[in-house]
Every structure is written in C-alpha cells, then in structure tokens.
Amino acid sequence: MYWLIEDIKHIETICQIKHSEVYVDVIPCSHNLHPVENSVCAIYFKPLKDTKGYIIAINHSETINFELEEIERVLNSFGKIYVRDRKEFLHYFPIKNSYHPSPSPYTYIPQLTQAHHQLYNRYPEIQNLNTIVPIVKHYEVCEQNYFNYKMEYNPFYNKAALVFNQLEQAGIKVDQTLFEQYFNKEANELIYTQYNLNTLTTRPSNAFGGINFSALDKNNGERECFVPRNDIFVEMDISAYHPCIIANLLDYTFDSDDVHGSFAKMYGVGYAKAKEITFKQIYGGVWKEYQNLPFFQKVIAYTDSLWDEYQSTGFIECPISGHKFYRDKLEDMNPQKLLNYVLQNLETANNVCILYEIFKILRGKKTKLVLYVYDSFLFDVDEEEKDVLKQIAQVINNRNFQFKVKKGTNYANIK
C-alpha cells in the first residue's frame, strides 16, 4: 500500500486489519493556532509492526480528502494509539485508548523541512498554511518524528493529559480593547492557554501566543484584560503548599490549620519572618539552629534517604505520579536540589488529582475553571452555582490542604 491513502478501499482494509498498536500524529491546518481553534489537515499513522507510516488527508490542496468521520473510523479500529502529546491529540480526537510517553525535560521541537520554513516565513498571516505545504513534506516530518519516539508511558500522566486538555478547552474571556492595549495584538473574545508538562520536574509551564500565563505582571495592569464570562472571578490559593506537602508525605501534623502560625511558634518570631525562614530552609537546606525541631528532623531524614536511594539505585521514583528522576540524566545534583525536584513533582501530582475531581464537579455547569498556576485555581463563577465552590473546597480539604479565597471582577482586582 502506498504511503498516501486516497482510496476508500484502502480505508476499509485498514479498518478490517484492526492494528493492535499504532503511532499517530495529527497534522493541523494551522501551524500556530491553538488546538481548540484549529482543525485537522491530515493524520499520519504507523503500525508498530510496519516499516513505514501512512497519511490520510482531510483538508489538503494536493490530495483526495476524506470526511472526518472516516478518519475517526480508522482511529477507532486501532487497539492502542501512541501519540506525542495526548493532551493535544484529545483536542482533535477524544479517543480513550490513546497514550503518550512520560514527561521529558525537553520540549518537543519538530525538525521541519525547508519547504515548511519558507512558507511559514513568507506567509505568516495565512492561518491554514499546512493545507498547501506539499503533503510529501508533511510525511517526511512525521517519519522523522516517529524514529525519535519512545513507546514508554506512565498511566498517571495519561490522566494528567485528560485534565489539562479539559482545562485548556475552557478558555478565558478577555476585554478585547484592553488586551490589544497591553499585548499589542488582536484577540477573540476567548483566548486559550497551553500547559506543558515536559519540564525538568513536570511542574507545568503555561504559555501560548507570546503570553506567559504563569507570570502575568501584577503591577502593570495587564491582568485587567482577563474578565469573567459569568458573574465573578473566584481564586482559591492553597496555603503553605510545599510545607503541607512535606507534612503529608512524612506523616507530620501541625498544631493548627495556620501552618505559618505554627512555624512562628516554633521559631519564636513574627508571622512574616516565619514564612521567610521556612521557605529558605525548604528550598535551601535546614539551618543548624532548627535541626532539632521535629518537623525538620523528619525533613533531614527524608532528604538523606532520598539521596542515598538516588545514589545507590541510579534513580528515585516520586510518590503519587510514579515519575522517575534518573541520576544519569540530571546534572549538578545535591540532596537539597533533589528534594526540591520531588516537591515540585508532588505539587503537580496533587494538583492533577484535585483538578480531576474539580472537573467531575463542574461537568455540565456554567462555572468554569479557567486558569491554574502552581498553588492557585481561578474560577469563572456563575453566582447561581455557588454550591459548586463548597464541593471544590471539600476536594482540597480532603487532601489535607488549607486555602484562601479571593474574588474580583477581573484578574487584576482579585482580593
């Protein structure tokens, strides 16, 4: 069978074979639109037992194009579908039996052909440019992508892909006039975020279209652009997240729900000073004068045991996520740095579990979760659905975390 599928009989043959394991790559119509706003140009698939891959087009200028339903029929005939990024794949095809590899410290950057570069540079304003890039050039890129692909996958991060896919789909409303003023670009009423777990610790970055949503400036006014489509923004911030993660991990109980207040008593200092001391010790190592405190005794013992395991076995496996940090893949490591990596991974893992429960609560509701940044969750709330916030609060409390609530009519005036 030729690599370009243009005959319905070949479609029927593929469906009848029912390949058990297949790698799939989606070629979108636009190379720069968010997947929520994009559409499918073609799909590339390669059965793991075959020596070459195949392309079926939906919207391309050079080929016979098939209806989307035909492509879905082909995909549904496969057993396991391996993809580069399940979160992105689900925007185009919500197929459950799709899997992607464990997060890597390196963000995937496709090695494009010269034809791609020339057309992208010459016609940056054309949104559906991939429909005129020669189909054989798309094939070259996909074949190269496959050869660099690893079939290992982690079940937890397949769940994470589903969670972040739902989060991206929500979108966040903008005041279009203010948005153009602050970001010097036009926008639709809704813009979309894009989360990337391929980071050193799997703590997701969140940027798209030149906007870093994880680091929006709190002082220059740009947060005013982001407004609720319903009635009000409600932000839930988890308090003392990393100290609480450590406490949960090491079975330590603070003497009150106010964690920083507990630390202030331990140190014999004021509240603000206690926060400063705690974070310096968690991220930089325990100070000598506090090594006798029960909390930090547990932290020191755990840090030492992590390092011993890392040195002796060559890796450590993170709780909850099962993600592994390999010694031969990390540079300039030390015990404290390893602890920090584990904490960031645990932060993300706890958040994935929380987000999963939140989306079950919000199913069918007008209230949306529109932004997540490390320890905070931003909700676009319909005031007739305030009961959902109580349910969400219970989800966070059930994981033994405390939180603070802020409200506002835009992202800048949340208090």
Side-chain angles (χ1 to χ4, degrees):
M1 192 183 300
Y2 189 56
W3 63 266
L4 181 61
I5 307 298
E6 295 188 288
D7 190 328
I8 190 64
K9 293 181 180 178
H10 291 159
I11 297 282
E12 296 296 340
T13 299
I14 293 164
C15 291
Q16 290 170 9
I17 292 173
K18 298 184 182 298
H19 293 286
S20 59
E21 293 184 302
V22 180
Y23 170 76
V24 174
D25 205 355
V26 176
I27 304 166
C29 288
S30 171
H31 65 288
N32 55 19
L33 278 179
H34 192 282
V36 172
E37 300 177 298
N38 219 329
S39 56
V40 180
C41 170
I43 66 159
Y44 165 93
F45 71 93
K46 183 172 183 177
L48 269 55
K49 295 181 179 180
D50 284 13
T51 57
K52 69 176 182 181
Y54 305 89
I55 279 184
I56 307 175
I58 296 174
N59 183 6
H60 196 278
S61 60
E62 296 177 342
T63 66
I64 293 175
N65 295 308
F66 292 91
E67 295 295 325
L68 184 64
E69 290 74 17
E70 291 295 330
I71 306 300
E72 290 173 341
R73 190 159 67 93
V74 169
L75 293 174
N76 284 317
S77 76
F78 299 149
K80 288 184 175 180
I81 296 175
Y82 297 103
V83 295
R84 173 178 52 81
D85 184 341
R86 184 173 189 247
K87 171 179 64 64
E88 184 173 327
F89 178 77
L90 291 171
H91 285 306
Y92 299 110
F93 299 103
I95 295 176
K96 291 183 179 179
N97 60 319
S98 53
Y99 306 87
H100 72 182
S102 298
S104 160
Y106 310 104
T107 301
Y108 168 74
I109 301 176
Q111 298 300 308
L112 300 176
T113 67
Q114 193 63 33
H116 284 85
H117 287 300
Q118 287 182 355
L119 286 168
Y120 290 173
N121 291 334
R122 188 177 299 177
Y123 306 108
E125 74 285 352
I126 298 179
Q127 293 291 356
N128 63 341
L129 208 51
N130 278 339
T131 65
I132 61 173
V133 172
I135 195 71
V136 69
K137 297 302 178 182
H138 287 313
Y139 184 71
E140 287 179 22
V141 170
C142 292
E143 284 278 280
Q144 182 63 36
N145 183 26
Y146 174 82
F147 290 127
N148 291 329
Y149 190 79
K150 294 182 180 179
M151 294 305 166
E152 299 177 5
Y153 66 92
N154 177 319
F156 181 84
Y157 287 102
N158 275 275
K159 177 180 178 179
L162 177 63
V163 164
F164 286 105
N165 171 270
Q166 291 180 273
L167 184 50
E168 289 182 1
Q169 285 186 36
I172 183 167
K173 186 178 178 181
V174 295
D175 180 309
Q176 291 164 290
T177 302
L178 286 175
F179 186 87
E180 185 173 351
Q181 174 186 327
Y182 282 108
F183 294 101
N184 197 30
K185 60 174 68 178
E186 294 182 359
N188 295 325
E189 185 178 23
L190 292 179
I191 63 171
Y192 297 92
T193 62
Q194 192 167 57
Y195 295 84
N196 172 35
L197 271 72
N198 286 320
T199 62
L200 192 58
T201 65
T202 75
R203 189 190 212 191
S205 59
N206 180 15
F208 189 76
I211 302 173
N212 184 350
F213 292 93
S214 297
L216 292 169
D217 197 308
K218 294 181 179 180
N219 301 313
N220 71 353
E222 67 184 20
R223 291 190 173 209
E224 295 179 45
C225 302
F226 304 99
V227 297
R229 75 194 81 178
N230 292 307
D231 298 308
I232 194 169
F233 275 155
V234 174
E235 185 176 65
M236 293 184 176
D237 289 332
I238 297 180
S239 306
Y241 206 176
H242 284 193
C244 288
I245 287 173
I246 295 176
N248 290 344
L249 180 65
L250 304 182
D251 197 26
Y252 178 88
T253 303
F254 292 103
D255 63 5
S256 77
D257 290 340
D258 187 342
V259 173
H260 291 303
S262 294
F263 279 117
K265 293 178 186 178
M266 293 183 206
Y267 306 144
V269 300
Y271 194 91
K273 187 64 177 178
K275 289 180 66 174
E276 178 187 339
I277 292 173
T278 300
F279 286 117
K280 283 183 177 179
Q281 292 188 96
I282 287 176
Y283 305 130
V286 179
W287 299 355
K288 187 175 181 179
E289 58 263 43
Y290 300 121
Q291 290 179 359
N292 64 322
L293 295 175
F295 176 82
F296 288 112
Q297 286 178 346
K298 285 177 173 284
V299 171
I300 291 169
Y302 180 69
T303 304
D304 290 343
S305 68
L306 267 184
W307 186 249
D308 289 344
E309 182 180 352
Y310 182 72
Q311 293 292 339
S312 62
T313 64
F315 70 91
I316 57 103
E317 183 173 320
C318 297
I320 302 178
S321 71
H323 182 72
K324 294 178 180 179
F325 289 115
Y326 290 96
R327 190 176 63 186
D328 60 358
K329 295 182 180 179
L330 298 173
E331 297 180 356
D332 302 322
M333 293 299 292
N334 59 58
Q336 194 61 42
K337 195 172 182 180
L338 183 61
L339 174 66
N340 291 340
Y341 283 13
V342 171
L343 287 179
Q344 288 195 26
N345 183 272
L346 268 169
E347 172 199 282
T348 302
N350 274 289
N351 286 338
V352 167
C353 296
I354 290 169
L355 289 166
Y356 187 80
E357 294 301 319
I358 286 174
F359 283 119
K360 287 201 293 186
I361 293 169
L362 294 181
R363 191 175 298 152
K365 300 291 193 298
K366 293 180 181 178
T367 296
K368 305 292 181 185
L369 174 62
V370 295
L371 189 64
Y372 143 73
V373 182
Y374 307 146
D375 60 358
S376 71
F377 305 83
L378 182 67
F379 297 91
D380 185 333
V381 178
D382 184 307
E383 291 191 330
E384 294 183 358
E385 298 176 343
K386 285 185 177 179
D387 61 308
V388 303
L389 295 178
K390 295 179 182 178
Q391 297 175 54
I392 291 167
Q394 191 60 52
V395 168
I396 298 174
N397 290 150
N398 285 346
R399 300 195 72 83
N400 204 23
F401 298 124
Q402 302 297 317
F403 62 91
K404 296 177 181 177
V405 176
K406 302 175 185 177
K407 299 179 181 181
T409 55
N410 64 51
Y411 196 32
N413 67 12
I414 287 180
K415 297 178 182 178

